[in-house]
Amino acid sequence: MAVTTLTKAVKTLIAAGSSNAATGTTRGVADMRTALGGLLTVKLNNAGTLGAQAEARILVAHNSGATPTAGSAGADWKTVYVVGNGTVSGTTGEWNYLVPSGVMHLEVEVTGNTTNAVTCEAFLSEQSSASSV
């Protein structure tokens, strides 16, 4: 019977406890060209009542070269998933996204909140290889 060993690593896209200021944007990227996919987790916490909710946006880029500069959806980055945490003070939202093996570059963007800051984080458990013996 073959035994399969997976090689995995944690990548921090947005560090735990990062503050996204009111009307600000926080982004993190990962080069996935040599990866087999992974599990992305995103967390948002409203530090106060918001005029508009913060959104966590997951974007991918189809570029075969180096990871494009982090940015909003456009020529390079394409939005594949969006979640929001509402506007109520003190609420926390946590989500996950299974990153498919076909993704070449991954970005998480937190933006949209007004009136108050939001704390955020995004971590990726990336699978880089599998070997069977």
Side-chain angles (χ1 to χ4, degrees), residues 8-34:
K8 301 176 184 180
V10 175
K11 290 193 173 189
T12 301
L13 278 69
I14 299 173
S18 293
S19 180
N20 187 63
T23 71
T25 300
T26 301
R27 295 184 177 103
V29 298
D31 184 343
M32 302 291 291
R33 288 176 293 169
T34 60

Side-chain angles (χ1 to χ4, degrees), residues 3 26 32 76 95:
V3 175
T26 301
M32 302 291 291
D76 287 320
W95 303 272

